[in-house]
Amino acid sequence: MSSNDPNDIEDAYARGMTKRILWKLDSNILPPLALVSTSRCPLFSDMKVVSKLWLANFIDRSNIGNARIAGLEKDTHLVGNQFNVLLTLFYVTYVLVEVPSNIVLKKMQPNRWIPLLVFLWGIVTVLTCVVKDFKDLVIIRLFLGICEGGLLPGLILYLSTLYKKHELQLRVGIFYASASLSGAFGGLLASVILKMDGLANVPGWKWIFILEGMATVVIAGIAFLILPKDLASAKFLTPEERTFAVERFRRGNINLVVSRAGTVREDNLPGSGNAFDAEKSESVSVREATAIDPLAVEEEEQFEWREVWRGITDIQTWLTGIAYFGLVVGLYSYSLFLPTIIAGLGYSGIQAQLRTVPPYVPAAVMTGLFFFGSEPETYLIYTRTVVVAIYSDRLKWRGPFILMCLPFSIIGYIIAITATTNKARYVAVFFMSVGVYPSAPCILSILPNNSSGHYKKATTTALQLAIANTGGFVATFAYTPDQRPKYIRGHTISLAFVSLAWFLVACNVAYCMWENKARREGRRQSNITKYEHLKATGKTRAPIGDRHPDFILTL
């Protein structure tokens, strides 16, 4: 029997609108992370753009590993550790541009800035085919780092302006499912492209850079045409949906809801309530629209250095940044050197390329699975649903899932170090990927959830990645030619840093629990007085954000 209760009707309206909006956001913003049907060309689909950018990024960054065993090292006369030096130089410029890029992003607009970065690195990737020696490769890798450095922090910041806090990790997880699939796709693509060896008198390894770079340029053009600046300008939403989406986002991310009686309560705060009641909270937001204090809604924030400094000095930035540093050593060394490690097991050429594919499969399964719904009204789990991420969003946990996943990688490195057969060493690389790939979206989602205020969030997310990506300096020298074929030292280095990541994430979880306890017990009320003094003396115009004692941190 249908209900005539106005509240029930309003609840049904809110749920329906939420499902349609999320379906359209996911369908038009997020890309598929693996193979698409043959009726949809992955380069020319008008849907699912953002994660294609990250897939292209990871392929373009790591394709040098495939090119190495396809002849690049020989044709450019690299000797000793020169290949490792090239990998390291990429991270010099990559790290330096991350924070500045995120600060520029708001002024330049993300739907223009991000595609520009993608276009430029596609051009640089294509130009790799003209290199002749080590010096040329140095220049190319430095410019590639400049072009690519701003992408991931920019994507995280961009998505945090489109999705509510505990919808974010599911979408971030798609990037890293793309990353894990890019390793498999890169190996498959390289094995196919190598069949073009000698075509037009061009070596096969050069075709890898030419074709993958050209694909990246095409993807950048698609992104430029499709990505919206923000929810209010998303053309794929109807006017009614845009209005609802903007209000839904604002109410879902502010932390203070003031009742008509003037009391303050938590609404959709990290760690409050059950995430399975998301649809219910949507309808509550609609019914209580008039109860929101207009002053609680964040105004259009102006840049100020105080907010940048707040981001730099946040303890979570450094705990998670250094933890991610440890994770990056395992993640990057895996993506860059897996072809080399596989070659060390006695394989070469196309056989080596093909054997880089299977180890990424369990990572992709752990990170996400395909579920497609044909109609928006049914709202099945229609897009790639990230397994760890979806439960992380539902439970509103980040760190605890990292603590559960990383032991798989630790086991993998231990097996690789102690193994006496190539079969056991090959099994070990499966365990390595299962732990590191699902952990990355978790750690990337911590600071967007726990930082409030645009420029503080821009700083924390970018600085976390800048700290983390210095791990590339370690990763690029973890596996050197003198370790062939067992690479025990490289595996030991990765094991140590992945273990460090686990420890620091545990520290961050403990800190968040301690801080939340203090806030719930009323021991952070002085934050309001301090903020009001800063506001009154003209030292800040930024919102109080995460300083408010009712702001609960996500574990």
Side-chain angles (χ1 to χ4, degrees):
M1 178 182 293
S2 61
S3 172
N4 293 322
D5 188 332
N7 285 343
D8 290 341
I9 295 173
E10 200 167 31
D11 287 354
Y13 169 79
R15 287 194 297 270
M17 284 291 287
T18 296
K19 290 176 181 180
R20 287 200 300 276
I21 288 167
L22 286 177
W23 187 88
K24 288 187 176 183
L25 280 174
D26 289 344
S27 296
N28 289 274
I29 301 296
L30 301 177
L33 299 178
L35 300 176
V36 294
S37 65
T38 55
S39 62
R40 277 188 194 168
C41 174
L43 295 181
F44 299 102
S45 169
D46 65 342
M47 302 167 68
K48 308 172 179 70
V49 176
V50 172
S51 209
K52 281 181 184 171
L53 303 182
W54 180 236
L55 174 62
N57 170 277
F58 218 88
I59 290 176
D60 284 348
R61 184 194 311 177
S62 58
N63 56 14
I64 193 170
N66 296 104
R68 180 190 190 183
I69 64 174
L72 176 145
E73 192 169 35
K74 178 182 177 181
D75 290 354
T76 55
H77 315 293
L78 299 183
V79 296
N81 289 335
Q82 284 185 332
F83 180 79
N84 301 77
V85 171
L86 289 172
L87 299 181
T88 301
L89 289 173
F90 168 84
Y91 292 105
V92 173
T93 49
Y94 187 93
V95 167
L96 290 176
V97 303
E98 288 185 289
V99 174
S101 177
N102 248 22
I103 292 174
V104 168
L105 179 139
K106 185 176 177 68
K107 189 172 186 64
M108 292 288 293
Q109 301 181 6
N111 60 324
R112 297 293 177 260
W113 183 244
I114 291 172
L116 176 62
L117 294 177
V118 177
F119 174 81
L120 290 175
W121 93 56
I123 296 297
V124 173
T125 298
V126 172
L127 290 176
T128 307
C129 71
V130 304
V131 300
K132 296 180 179 178
D133 53 27
F134 176 69
K135 181 182 69 176
D136 293 343
L137 282 168
V138 166
I139 295 171
I140 284 291
R141 296 299 286 182
L142 287 173
F143 274 98
L144 195 63
I146 291 172
C147 298
E148 292 193 24
L151 181 70
L152 184 55
L155 289 178
I156 298 298
L157 187 60
Y158 179 47
L159 283 189
S160 73
T161 67
L162 300 174
Y163 291 95
K164 290 165 57 176
K165 291 180 180 181
H166 294 104
E167 295 167 348
L168 183 62
Q169 189 179 326
L170 176 59
R171 281 76 196 179
V172 174
I174 289 176
F175 296 151
Y176 271 84
S178 292
S180 63
L181 288 172
S182 74
F185 183 67
L188 283 172
L189 189 59
S191 65
V192 172
I193 293 174
L194 285 179
K195 296 181 183 297
M196 299 173 63
D197 187 31
L199 183 65
N201 294 319
V202 175
W205 67 266
K206 289 190 177 184
W207 281 114
I208 292 175
F209 290 109
I210 293 170
L211 296 182
E212 292 181 4
M214 290 174 62
T216 298
V217 169
V218 172
I219 290 171
I222 296 170
F224 181 83
L225 294 173
I226 294 173
L227 291 180
K229 173 188 173 183
D230 49 31
L231 287 171
S233 62
K235 294 180 181 179
F236 50 81
L237 297 176
T238 66
E240 180 187 15
E241 289 168 345
R242 283 197 292 271
T243 301
F244 186 93
V246 171
E247 290 305 309
R248 171 185 175 275
F249 175 82
R250 292 170 68 189
R251 293 185 183 120
N253 287 280
I254 60 175
N255 301 294
L256 298 179
V257 176
V258 183
S259 70
R260 294 177 180 82
T263 58
V264 177
R265 69 173 179 82
E266 294 178 0
D267 180 74
N268 201 36
L269 289 175
S272 63
N274 188 312
F276 288 100
D277 295 332
E279 292 180 357
K280 181 179 178 182
S281 69
E282 292 296 336
S283 59
V284 170
S285 295
V286 171
R287 287 201 302 271
E288 298 187 355
T290 59
I292 297 177
D293 183 346
L295 297 178
V297 179
E298 292 186 3
E299 59 183 326
E300 184 67 21
E301 187 179 341
Q302 301 299 313
F303 175 78
E304 57 183 68
W305 285 107
R306 181 178 291 273
E307 287 298 285
V308 174
W309 184 246
R310 279 212 311 130
I312 292 172
T313 56
D314 191 322
I315 187 174
Q316 290 189 80
T317 302
W318 293 91
L319 283 174
T320 62
I322 299 173
Y324 199 9
F325 172 98
L327 192 61
V328 156
V329 173
L331 182 68
Y332 286 3
S333 64
Y334 189 89
S335 63
L336 291 169
F337 291 104
L338 182 62
T340 302
I341 293 169
I342 298 298
L345 300 180
Y347 302 103
S348 61
I350 292 176
Q351 290 300 314
Q353 301 284 3
L354 291 174
R355 279 172 173 76
T356 65
V357 176
Y360 287 98
V361 174
V365 172
M366 278 289 288
T367 311
L369 294 171
F370 272 119
F371 295 98
F372 289 97
S374 57
E375 298 295 335
E377 289 77 9
T378 60
Y379 196 57
L380 299 173
I381 306 178
Y382 49 86
T383 185
R384 167 159 261 201
T385 320
V386 181
V387 172
V388 170
I390 199 167
Y391 283 102
S392 181
D393 275 347
R394 284 181 175 180
L395 297 175
K396 301 184 180 179
W397 289 354
R398 305 299 185 229
F401 277 99
I402 301 174
L403 300 181
M404 288 186 274
C405 287
L406 283 186
F408 285 100
S409 289
I410 291 171
I411 291 170
Y413 287 114
I414 292 173
I415 292 173
I417 292 167
T418 59
T420 57
T421 66
N422 284 343
K423 183 177 180 180
R425 294 186 188 100
Y426 190 57
V427 169
V429 299
F430 286 77
F431 278 90
M432 295 173 193
S433 67
V434 166
V436 293
Y437 279 99
S439 297
C442 295
I443 205 165
L444 281 170
S445 301
I446 292 173
L447 294 182
N449 282 176
N450 290 348
S451 301
S452 184
H454 176 84
Y455 286 104
K456 186 194 175 183
K457 187 186 296 184
T459 303
T460 57
T461 53
L463 182 56
Q464 180 198 56
L465 281 160
I467 296 167
N469 282 317
T470 58
F473 300 129
V474 178
T476 53
F477 278 97
Y479 295 84
T480 51
D482 59 295
Q483 301 176 46
R484 294 183 180 128
K486 297 181 179 179
Y487 296 99
I488 290 177
R489 186 170 75 241
H491 294 320
T492 303
I493 291 170
S494 296
L495 172 63
F497 279 100
V498 169
S499 299
L500 173 65
W502 189 95
F503 173 74
L504 291 176
V505 168
C507 290
N508 193 71
V509 170
Y511 166 77
C512 290
M513 293 175 67
W514 171 76
E515 180 64 22
N516 286 345
K517 185 174 185 291
R519 294 182 180 213
R520 289 188 176 107
E521 292 175 353
R523 290 186 277 124
R524 296 292 183 265
Q525 294 301 316
S526 61
N527 288 358
I528 296 178
T529 304
K530 293 175 183 176
Y531 171 75
E532 289 175 345
H533 175 72
L534 290 173
K535 194 92 169 177
T537 55
K539 293 181 178 178
T540 188
R541 294 178 58 192
I544 188 170
D546 53 59
R547 289 169 285 192
H548 198 283
D550 288 330
F551 188 101
I552 303 300
L553 304 176
T554 298
L555 298 184

